[in-house]
């Protein structure tokens, strides 16, 4: 972290700069440039003396990301960015337009270790965790490129956020800072595949964000097959943690359920799911699975999704069907990076 100015909190930046013999007010100026204006270069910080800007640039480089590719959905205006990180890695973000404002889906790692059978992020292999600054930079770079203020963040891009716990907590602190971007915790969702100890650690922080839990199956037999994490933290343990989380924070948990035709979309699955979720302050999001080239799964038919949703409702479980955005631009996590890797391995020209 030393020198990674974009990942520093304001007190850390003050300490760093005063330690280097600079007055503390400079730290606040730099912090505001970075986080309120999304400055990617010290050259933009025009209220700082030029010589100081040059010194800072040498000592404390701004480690963010740059746009490699941008795809815009013709269907709904969803924009998918492929970002280059330092070290030549790629990460993805998607910006979706909703009635309540623009939402960015941020990646927390390059690749993923969790191994979910239907997810493209796993296929490309795990490379590394992203820093807080690299996560912020996805937001700031997208806002600048699009000329919009993004009002909502979902940590649902590539990677498992709770497998990068400290950096993600730092990211949340920074994006929420009143001297920085000051984005409300209530406008942030964090999605996890179900790392139970980290869910409990998150609960202890009492954040006002929305916790999304990727469930995708109503029992261990099926969930073990789809999500290897379940072999470590079985569904009973996961749901117990969710029950406690919701009770302690009074925040409704959002369960994600990707509908896989003929795999987890039967009436019996719906009833078993409803049974399991009784008494948990929650909501179920049904998502027809996005097809991934190498994966054997196909989305459930709309009629099946509707029926599943009705069965849940009949059992008193609140469910909605997620509107699918960006279907024409590989907008599900890991897909664009995957395409990029294949392109390179086929000997294609880098962009
Ligand atoms: N690792 C975290 C967050 C990243 S994935 C998690 O597992 O929650 C964000 C969401 O997309 C998760 O619910 C994940 O299960 C889901 N997802 C992954 N691949 C998908 C696909 N092909 N179609 C639909 N949803 C998918």
């Amino acid at each position: 972290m030393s020198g990674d100015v974009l990942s520093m909190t304001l007190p850390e930046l003050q300490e760093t700069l005063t330690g280097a013999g600079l007055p503390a007010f400079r730290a606040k100026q730099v912090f505001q440039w970075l986080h309120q204006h999304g400055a990617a270069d010290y050259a933009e910080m025009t209220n700082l003396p030029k010589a100081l800007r040059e010194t800072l640039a040498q000592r404390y480089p701004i480690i963010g990301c740059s746009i490699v590719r941008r795809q815009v959905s013709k269907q709904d205006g969803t924009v998918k960015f492929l970002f280059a990180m330092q070290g030549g890695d790629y990460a993805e973000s998607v910006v979706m337009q909703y009635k309540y404002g623009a939402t960015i889906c941020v990646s927390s790692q390059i690749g993923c270790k969790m191994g979910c059978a239907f997810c493209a992020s796993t296929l490309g292999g795990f490379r590394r965790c992203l820093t807080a600054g690299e996560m912020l930079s996805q937001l700031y770079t997208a806002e600048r490129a699009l000329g919009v203020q993004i009002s909502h963040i979902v940590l649902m891009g590539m990677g498992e956020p709770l497998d990068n716990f400290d950096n993600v907590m730092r990211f949340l602190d920074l994006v929420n800072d009143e001297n920085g971007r000051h984005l409300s915790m209530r406008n942030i969702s964090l999605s996890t595949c179900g790392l139970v100890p980290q869910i409990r650690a998150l609960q202890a922080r009492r954040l006002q964000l929305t916790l999304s839990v990727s469930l995708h199956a109503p029992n261990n037999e099926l969930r073990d097959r789809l999500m290897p994490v379940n072999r470590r933290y079985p569904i009973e343990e996961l749901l117990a943690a969710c029950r406690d989380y919701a009770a302690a924070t009074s925040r409704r948990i959002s369960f994600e359920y990707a509908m896989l035709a003929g795999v987890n979309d039967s009436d019996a699955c719906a009833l078993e799911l409803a049974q399991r979720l009784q008494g948990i302050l929650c909501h179920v999001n049904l998502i027809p699975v996005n097809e991934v080239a190498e994966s054997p799964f196909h989305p459930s038919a709309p009629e099946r999704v509707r029926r599943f949703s009705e069965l849940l409702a009949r059992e008193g479980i609140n469910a909605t069907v997620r509107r699918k955005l960006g279907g024409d631009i590989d907008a599900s996590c890991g897909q664009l990076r995957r395409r990029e890797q294949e392109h390179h391995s086929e000997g294609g020209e880098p962009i």
Side-chain angles (χ1 to χ4, degrees), residues 105-106 108-109 112 114 116 118-121 155-162 190-194 212-216 227 256-260 287-292 295 297 322 332-333 335:
C105 178
V106 165
S108 57
Q109 295 178 320
C112 188
M114 298 298 130
C116 299
F118 43 82
C119 180
S121 295
L155 276 160
M156 292 191 185
M158 220 189 334
E160 167 51 47
L162 296 186
L190 184 153
S191 183
T192 178
C193 65
S212 290
V213 174
S214 302
L215 204 54
H216 304 323
M227 302 178 71
E256 308 296 306
Y257 197 99
M259 302 286 292
L260 313 170
I287 315 146
V289 74
N290 271 310
E291 296 205 60
V292 173
S295 130
F297 301 109
R322 171 139 354 130
S332 67
C333 56
Q335 290 190 351

Side-chain angles (χ1 to χ4, degrees), residues 231-270:
R231 295 176 212 151
R232 183 90 190 269
Y233 305 113
I235 200 162
E236 296 80 9
E237 276 180 43
L238 173 59
L239 293 180
C242 291
R243 198 178 291 274
D244 292 347
Y245 186 97
T249 60
S250 305
R251 301 286 297 159
R252 194 171 69 163
I253 293 198
S254 172
F255 287 108
E256 308 296 306
Y257 197 99
M259 302 286 292
L260 313 170
V263 177
N264 65 356
D265 63 349
S266 65
D267 287 1
C269 282

Side-chain angles (χ1 to χ4, degrees), residues 10-295:
L10 180 55
E12 286 168 349
L13 188 59
Q14 278 162 343
E15 203 182 307
T16 303
L17 296 194
T18 50
L22 293 166
F25 78 92
R26 292 294 182 206
K28 196 158 178 182
Q29 287 179 322
V30 171
F31 193 85
Q32 287 174 338
W33 274 111
L34 292 174
H35 300 284
Q36 287 181 359
H37 304 285
D41 196 320
Y42 286 101
E44 296 175 38
M45 304 185 187
T46 45
N47 56 352
L48 266 57
K50 192 153 181 281
L52 175 60
R53 284 184 251 154
E54 283 164 7
T55 311
L56 292 173
Q58 269 179 2
R59 282 207 218 159
Y60 312 110
I62 302 170
I63 302 172
C65 57
S66 54
I67 300 171
V68 177
R69 181 186 292 212
R70 183 199 309 208
Q71 285 175 271
V72 183
S73 165
K74 291 191 186 73
Q75 297 162 0
D76 51 47
T78 296
V79 185
K80 178 141 186 165
F81 290 100
L82 182 68
F83 290 126
M85 298 291 169
Q86 282 213 340
D89 290 312
Y90 297 117
E92 301 167 23
S93 315
V94 181
V95 178
M96 296 152 288
Q97 310 287 342
Y98 290 105
K99 281 195 206 79
Y100 54 76
T103 299
I104 188 165
C105 178
V106 165
S107 289
S108 57
Q109 295 178 320
I110 294 173
C112 188
K113 291 183 225 164
M114 298 298 130
C116 299
F118 43 82
C119 180
S121 295
T122 281
L123 294 169
F126 175 75
R127 292 272 299 159
R128 67 178 176 89
C129 286
L130 293 177
T131 64
E134 287 173 323
M135 288 179 254
L136 288 165
S137 181
Q138 296 171 48
L139 166 69
Y140 302 156
T141 308
E143 284 191 321
R144 288 194 145 199
L146 299 174
V148 296
Q149 271 253 4
I150 291 172
S151 58
H152 291 68
I153 298 176
V154 294
L155 276 160
M156 292 191 185
M158 220 189 334
E160 167 51 47
L162 296 186
D163 184 41
N164 185 15
F165 194 85
D166 293 345
N167 288 336
V168 167
M169 294 308 121
R170 180 176 278 276
F171 163 76
L172 293 172
D173 270 1
L174 283 165
V175 83
N176 186 233
D177 194 302
E178 60 182 14
N179 285 302
R181 192 56 183 71
H182 204 188
L183 204 130
S184 164
M185 280 285 177
R186 288 185 174 268
N187 291 2
I188 301 178
S189 293
L190 184 153
S191 183
T192 178
C193 65
L195 297 176
V196 168
Q198 288 91 326
I199 291 174
R200 295 200 178 275
L202 186 68
Q203 176 185 322
R205 294 183 176 245
R206 296 287 192 276
L207 301 178
Q208 290 296 302
L209 53 71
T210 299
L211 179 64
S212 290
V213 174
S214 302
L215 204 54
H216 304 323
N219 57 53
N220 286 320
E221 195 265 322
L222 189 52
R223 200 163 187 270
D224 275 352
R225 279 201 281 136
L226 297 175
M227 302 178 71
V229 68
N230 195 70
R231 295 176 212 151
R232 183 90 190 269
Y233 305 113
I235 200 162
E236 296 80 9
E237 276 180 43
L238 173 59
L239 293 180
C242 291
R243 198 178 291 274
D244 292 347
Y245 186 97
T249 60
S250 305
R251 301 286 297 159
R252 194 171 69 163
I253 293 198
S254 172
F255 287 108
E256 308 296 306
Y257 197 99
M259 302 286 292
L260 313 170
V263 177
N264 65 356
D265 63 349
S266 65
D267 287 1
C269 282
L271 295 172
E272 196 177 0
L273 180 64
Q275 197 75 47
R276 290 267 190 194
L277 300 183
Q278 290 304 325
I280 303 180
L281 180 63
C282 74
H283 175 93
V284 175
N285 249 322
L286 299 172
I287 315 146
V289 74
N290 271 310
E291 296 205 60
V292 173
E294 294 90 335
S295 130

